């Protein structure tokens, strides 16, 4: 079964809470309740698009500006990714039955359920930083009979008790790949992670292979925008600086960029690991 077939085979509806959020005409995130507008709720759930499932005050704005009642100043803190985007990331993972997978960022649990369908029951561990989100995901996974282990913790630290993993995948973007993920991946295994737009303005997906020298190295494979890991927010200035570097380099395509992750840190390169740019 390929990734797209697996996504289609797992129902999305059990993983979406009864209250979701959409942007109104002013651009604010306002709730849509299943009981009040079931047709609109179902339209959102069945669309091949992301669904915002939780919101919180935008940390970039003054607290007094944010109003949960109107949605003003609120930002998405958890969502269900668009099914097509999920399939793209899962395809890049090159999973096979029996592989051990660590997912960083459980969210609704839908992506974890798709992974479990591909690699088999008991082979997926998912880490979620928000206890309430983790609890909701466990219940949804239980409802569909998907045997995924959901643990509450900081995804940047991975989950050492379940290591080593054949694949680690992040469902949120990062500006720096934590070395803990490299340490917990089996030799030859893959780390698949969306990158924040401080590497390339198209939010590329990086596919890194763990090597015998204790490093992980690989290229970007194309755009894959995801909301950031909670501890890896990026500033407007850092995004602007990255775009300026990209412009100065002649606007290279995402697949010309690559990363090397070592115990000492991360290097971004263009075309060749020998051509480090940051």
């Amino acid at each position: 079964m390929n990734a797209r077939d697996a996504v289609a085979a797992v129902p999305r509806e059990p993983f979406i809470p009864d209250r979701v959020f959409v942007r109104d005409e002013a651009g604010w995130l306002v709730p849509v309740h299943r009981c009040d507008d079931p047709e609109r709720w179902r339209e959102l759930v069945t669309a091949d698009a992301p669904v915002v499932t939780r919101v919180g005050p935008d940390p970039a704005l003054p607290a007094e500006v944010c109003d949960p009642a109107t949605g003003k100043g609120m930002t998405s803190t958890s969502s269900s990714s668009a099914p097509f985007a999920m399939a793209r990331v899962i395809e890049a993972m090159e999973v096979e039955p029996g592989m051990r997978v660590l997912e960083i960022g459980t969210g609704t649990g839908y992506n974890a359920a798709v992974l479990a369908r591909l690699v088999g029951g008991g082979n997926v561990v998912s880490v979620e930083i928000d206890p309430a989100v983790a609890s909701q995901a466990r219940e949804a996974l239980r409802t569909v009979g998907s045997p995924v282990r959901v643990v509450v913790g900081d995804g940047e630290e991975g989950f050492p008790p379940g290591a080593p993993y054949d694949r680690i995948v992040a469902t949120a973007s990062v500006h720096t790949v934590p070395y803990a993920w490299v340490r917990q991946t089996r030799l030859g295994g893959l780390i698949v992670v969306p990158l924040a737009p401080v590497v390339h303005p198209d939010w590329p997906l990086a596919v890194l292979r763990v090597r015998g020298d204790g490093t992980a190295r690989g290229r970007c494979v194309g755009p894959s925008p995801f909301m950031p890991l909670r501890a890896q927010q990026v500033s407007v200035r850092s995004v602007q600086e990255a775009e300026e570097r990209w412009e100065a380099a002649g606007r290279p395509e995402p697949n010309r960029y690559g990363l090397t992750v070592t115990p000492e840190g991360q290097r971004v390169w263009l075309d060749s690991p020998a051509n480090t740019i940051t």
Side-chain angles (χ1 to χ4, degrees):
M1 178 180 291
N2 63 35
R4 295 182 188 278
D5 289 342
V7 170
V10 177
R12 191 186 195 190
E13 186 169 320
F15 295 93
I16 307 299
D18 290 343
R19 184 182 66 169
V20 297
F21 297 84
V22 297
R23 295 200 179 274
D24 64 9
E25 293 179 357
W28 307 126
L29 284 166
V30 296
V32 172
H33 294 270
R34 186 177 191 176
C35 58
D36 296 335
D37 194 347
E39 289 186 9
R40 176 65 171 140
W41 183 90
R42 188 160 287 104
E43 177 187 335
L44 293 167
V45 173
T46 56
D48 196 1
V51 177
V52 176
T53 55
R54 281 180 175 265
V55 299
D58 188 337
L61 297 176
E64 60 270 18
V65 171
C66 303
D67 182 4
T70 63
K72 183 178 181 180
M74 306 301 283
T75 189
S76 171
T77 60
S78 189
S79 65
S80 174
S81 301
F84 81 88
M86 285 173 49
R88 181 190 301 157
V89 173
I90 294 171
E91 283 175 352
M93 293 173 66
E94 300 178 3
V95 293
E96 297 176 3
M99 282 186 169
R100 292 274 299 158
V101 176
L102 175 64
E103 178 190 54
I104 308 298
T106 312
T108 64
Y110 181 43
N111 191 74
V114 173
L115 288 170
R117 190 173 186 93
L118 287 165
V119 300
N123 288 323
V124 179
V125 178
S126 187
V127 181
E128 171 58 50
I129 197 168
D130 187 323
V133 172
S135 177
Q136 204 164 45
R138 284 194 199 100
E139 183 57 34
L141 288 160
R142 197 161 27 244
T143 297
V144 301
S146 185
V148 171
R149 182 179 183 184
V150 178
V151 296
V152 175
D154 183 349
E156 285 195 298
E157 299 174 359
F159 186 64
Y165 304 98
D166 298 289
R167 301 288 187 267
I168 291 183
V169 61
T171 64
S173 63
V174 303
H175 55 71
T176 305
V177 178
Y179 187 72
W181 299 356
V182 180
R183 197 163 47 236
Q184 293 171 39
T185 303
R186 196 182 304 278
L187 176 63
L190 296 180
I191 299 169
V192 178
V193 53
L195 300 177
V198 294
V199 173
H200 188 282
D202 283 351
W203 301 71
L205 182 69
V207 181
L208 313 176
R209 189 171 297 278
V210 174
R211 299 154 53 84
D213 61 359
T215 68
R217 191 171 77 190
R219 289 184 177 273
C220 298
V221 295
S224 188
F226 279 77
M227 61 185 295
L229 203 65
R230 188 169 299 186
Q232 295 220 23
Q233 305 284 334
V234 296
S235 68
V236 172
R237 182 60 196 149
S238 62
V239 173
Q240 290 173 338
E241 290 172 350
E243 186 157 0
E244 289 166 5
R245 288 194 298 270
W246 174 70
E247 292 271 6
R251 299 189 172 194
E253 292 296 317
N255 60 11
R256 291 181 59 193
Y257 285 79
L259 272 75
T260 301
V261 183
T262 75
E264 291 73 39
Q266 169 181 294
R267 298 193 301 272
V268 179
W269 40 269
L270 182 65
D271 295 328
S272 165
N275 185 26
T276 300
I277 56 175
T278 61

